[in-house]
Amino acid sequence: MFQIITMQILKMLLILLLGYFCYRKKLVDQHGNQILANLLLLVVNPALAVISMQIEYRPELVSGLLLSYLLAILTHLVMIFLSTVIIRQKNNEEYSIERFAAMYSNCGFVGIPLVQSILGGEGVLYLTAYMTVFNIISWTHGVGLMTGNLSLKGLKKGLTSPMVIASLVGLALFFLRIRLPEVLTDTLSYVSGMNTPLAMLIAGISVAQTDIPAMLKNRKVYFVSAFKLLFMPAVILIALIPLPVSLTVKYTILVAAACPAAASGTAFALRFGKNYKYYSELYSFTTVCSLATIPLFVYAAEFFLS
């Protein structure tokens, strides 16, 4: 499994570099990158959520899915608590940006291709549970963190996001044991196949827009990134060891938690008047570094979880 994910990471890195050079050569700009991000979030990821649940109904899958929802909730609660305790608000104007980056993972853009490569459709099924929880909590608690208050409007938006709706549709089809016609499954498969290349092109374009020399001089970038990519996954890994759940569920939760800072944080920071450039630095730096740290935790999981 370690070799599989290492090769997948290498492929993703090459696509990320392609996105980087496309921006540098002015083949695409920030507006184009936003269009790609919208396409990925609103079309490709939902298509993958539906097609991943077009698998044979088995009782063990149901129990694994329910456990994935439970563990996803607990994982987010742990990450919110640790981030709030360790990243202090006092004398820190950017605490909301740093906490958001540490709490919320890019479980869709980065998590889906990795889980799909090592765990297949079953892993993606469980990952949709994590992503559903992520969408709901980030659009409620995450928005509250950025604005300073929670709102019912944020909860409504989280519950009606395309990814949540697609997950619910996929779940309904799965539990009702309804298989879509071949023409639809093939279409959804083609669309969902764009997930990895689009996600990494977007990441590469984002990295290309970062002031790399300034970023590398900022010590807080290193602290938040180490906290997000090393400390948090280590805590989750230790917590998963004694749990009597399947290895597939454990690996899915671990990979999702080990992913870099959520891409949606930049949009949130822009929308709510926060320092979006700083968040972009955290997003870019954690994305690149995660290409080394995620295989490290998968290797550790093979030793401790097996």
Side-chain angles (χ1 to χ4, degrees):
M1 189 175 292
F2 175 73
Q3 291 179 334
I4 295 173
I5 202 168
T6 301
M7 289 303 298
Q8 182 67 19
I9 287 286
L10 179 59
K11 296 172 188 175
M12 292 170 65
L13 175 61
L14 292 174
I15 301 174
L16 184 149
L17 291 174
L18 178 61
Y20 179 92
F21 286 113
C22 284
Y23 182 84
R24 289 297 184 185
K25 294 298 181 180
K26 299 183 179 180
L27 297 176
V28 65
D29 57 12
Q30 173 56 23
H31 178 65
N33 196 33
Q34 187 61 52
I35 292 174
L36 292 177
N38 287 337
L39 184 64
L40 183 63
L41 286 171
L42 304 179
V43 179
V44 178
N45 277 353
L48 183 57
V50 173
I51 198 65
S52 66
M53 297 188 192
Q54 286 289 289
I55 57 179
E56 182 183 354
Y57 179 94
R58 301 197 308 271
E60 61 268 25
L61 287 180
V62 177
S63 61
L65 190 61
L66 294 176
L67 285 170
S68 296
Y69 275 108
L70 176 60
L71 290 176
I73 293 171
L74 294 175
T75 297
H76 279 91
L77 290 178
V78 168
M79 292 194 292
I80 289 172
F81 172 76
L82 292 175
S83 299
T84 303
V85 170
I86 296 177
I87 299 177
R88 298 300 182 92
Q89 180 177 351
K90 187 177 181 181
N91 299 323
N92 183 7
E93 294 181 356
E94 311 296 353
Y95 78 93
S96 58
I97 293 290
E98 294 171 354
R99 286 181 181 176
F100 194 100
M103 293 172 183
Y104 298 111
S105 297
N106 202 355
C107 51
F109 285 15
V110 177
I112 288 176
L114 292 179
V115 168
Q116 194 169 34
S117 67
I118 62 175
L119 301 172
E122 184 177 345
V124 176
L125 173 67
Y126 298 152
L127 185 61
T128 57
Y130 192 99
M131 293 171 65
T132 302
V133 172
F134 161 81
N135 276 292
I136 294 172
I137 296 182
S138 65
W139 275 101
T140 51
H141 172 269
V143 170
L145 178 64
M146 290 287 191
T147 62
N149 59 76
L150 297 172
S151 67
L152 291 176
K153 186 178 179 180
L155 176 60
K156 181 181 178 181
K157 192 154 189 176
L159 293 174
T160 57
S161 66
M163 188 62 201
V164 172
I165 293 173
S167 298
L168 293 176
V169 170
L171 279 172
L173 295 174
F174 173 72
F175 281 110
L176 294 174
R177 308 185 189 189
I178 298 174
R179 303 304 294 269
L180 296 173
E182 184 177 354
V183 64
L184 283 180
T185 57
D186 287 348
T187 301
L188 290 173
S189 296
Y190 291 146
V191 173
S192 63
M194 293 189 289
N195 182 79
T196 300
L198 270 182
M200 299 320 295
L201 282 173
I202 292 166
I205 295 168
S206 299
V207 171
Q209 297 176 69
T210 303
D211 185 348
I212 296 177
M215 178 187 71
L216 295 177
K217 293 177 183 178
N218 188 348
R219 294 181 179 179
K220 296 183 74 176
V221 169
Y222 295 97
F223 170 75
V224 176
S225 298
F227 181 75
K228 169 63 182 163
L229 299 176
L230 297 175
F231 180 73
M232 286 286 205
V235 171
I236 300 303
L237 174 59
I238 293 171
L240 287 172
I241 292 174
L243 297 182
V245 299
S246 74
L247 284 176
T248 303
V249 172
K250 288 184 178 182
Y251 272 109
T252 301
I253 297 298
L254 178 62
V255 170
C259 285
S264 58
T266 301
F268 280 14
L270 276 167
R271 181 173 181 178
F272 301 116
K274 298 297 181 179
N275 189 349
Y276 71 92
K277 291 184 178 179
Y278 180 38
Y279 190 90
S280 294
E281 292 178 354
L282 292 172
Y283 167 71
S284 300
F285 193 73
T286 55
T287 297
V288 174
C289 291
S290 70
L291 300 178
T293 57
I294 293 176
L296 174 68
F297 279 100
V298 170
Y299 177 77
E302 285 188 331
F303 180 78
F304 289 106
L305 297 183
S306 298

